[in-house]
Amino acid sequence: MFDELKSDCENCFGLCCVALPYVKSADFPTKKDGGEPCQHLCANHLCSIHDQLREKGFRGCVSYECFGAGQHVSQNIYKGHEWRGEPERAKEMFAVFPIVQQLHEMLWYLKQALSLTETQSIQARLHKIYEDTVDLTTQTPKEILELDIVAHRNKVNVLLIETSRLFRTNYRNNSQKKNLDYIGANLKGVDLRGADFRGKLMIAANLSDSDLRKADFIGADLRDADLSAANLKEVLFLTQSQLNSAKGNRFTQIPSYLEKPDHWLK
Ligand code: SF4
C-alpha cells in the first residue's frame, strides 16, 4: 500500500545523512552540522554501519524515516544529479529535502486515511488534499523553498484529526491516562483500544501484552517502549520508524504493511 512512500536508499544520494544535523545525545554518539556528510556515509551514498546502527549508538538513524522523499528529491526533482562537487546545488538540495520529507510524511498518513472504510464521509476531501500534496512535491526547487509548509500541514491535520475521530468512534477508552505523557508508564496488559496517543511521549513505557487496537499513534515517541506481545494489528498512523525505535518480540502483532525490526527477533 505504501511502497512509493518507503525509503529507497539505493536510489538516494544519502540526503538524510548529509542534509540533517545531529547532536551528541542518547540518539547519536557524536555531532555534525547540516550539510556535512556523516563520517559513516560511503562514496556510493550508503551507510557503512547500516547493520550496527543501534550497537554503535546511532539510534536516531534507526528511528528516522524519509517516507520516500530521499529518492524523489534525488531522482525526480534533481533528475539524478547529485550534490558532490556542486556546492550551490548541494545547498539548495539540502534545503529542499526536509520540506519534501514533510510532504511525503503527510502523504503517508493521508494514504492510510484514504484506505479506511471509516472515512467514507470525508473521502472527497481526503482525495483533494492528497492530490494537492502530490502536486507540491512535483514543483521546482525554488517553488518548494517558497512553500508555506506550516499552512499546508495545518490543512492536512484537520483531516487527520477527523480521520482519527471517525476511526476510534466506537471506543471510549477509560484506561487512557489524562496526563500529558506516558514516559516510563506501566501499562502492561491494559486494554487501550481506541486510545489517542497523538504526539504523546511514551519513551520506555511498558505496553507489553496490552491491547492497542484502534489506537491513534500519530507523532507518538515510542523510543524504548516495550511492545512485547502487544496487539497493534489495527492501529492508526503507526510508522515503521516508530516500531524501529521501540522494543518488541515475535509475539507482537503489527499491521500488515509494517515489518518487525531485526532487533525484536534477536
Ligand atoms: S550513521 Fe549511517 S544512517 Fe546514520 S547518518 Fe551516518 S551514514 Fe547515515
Side-chain angles (χ1 to χ4, degrees), residues 6 55 66 82 155 161 213 221 231 243:
K6 272 186 183 167
E55 293 83 348
C66 79
E82 71 141 303
K155 281 195 255 177
I161 288 168
R213 287 174 292 167
D221 188 340
N231 190 345
L243 286 189

Side-chain angles (χ1 to χ4, degrees), residues 78-136:
Y78 286 92
K79 313 235 178 297
H81 299 295
E82 71 141 303
W83 48 270
R84 286 197 176 97
E86 294 285 345
E88 282 309 308
R89 182 196 296 152
K91 196 172 159 198
E92 184 187 77
M93 197 182 274
F94 300 156
V96 164
F97 168 67
I99 299 171
V100 177
Q101 190 271 349
Q102 290 181 66
L103 292 170
H104 271 231
E105 183 180 17
M106 292 178 217
L107 287 174
W108 195 92
Y109 292 132
L110 287 168
K111 197 149 190 170
Q112 184 175 22
L114 278 162
S115 74
L116 303 169
T117 53
E118 293 88 342
T119 58
Q120 203 172 9
S121 60
I122 58 168
Q123 283 278 316
R125 292 163 66 205
L126 285 168
H127 270 293
K128 169 83 172 68
I129 199 135
Y130 184 89
E131 293 306 325
D132 288 350
T133 308
V134 170
D135 288 346
L136 294 176

Side-chain angles (χ1 to χ4, degrees), residues 9 14-18 20 22 27-29 32 36-42 45-50 52-53 56-62 64:
C9 302
L15 293 178
C16 62
C17 310
V18 190
L20 307 180
Y22 51 70
D27 288 332
F28 294 99
K32 81 167 192 71
E36 176 191 339
C38 172
Q39 59 181 313
H40 298 296
L41 185 66
C42 301
H45 302 115
L46 296 178
C47 173
S48 63
I49 58 166
H50 178 71
Q52 314 152 61
L53 287 168
K56 300 257 184 194
F58 284 84
R59 296 162 69 100
C61 302
V62 177
Y64 179 78

Side-chain angles (χ1 to χ4, degrees), residues 209-222:
D209 296 306
S210 57
D211 191 345
L212 296 157
R213 287 174 292 167
K214 289 280 177 179
D216 178 356
F217 280 94
I218 196 165
D221 188 340
L222 289 170

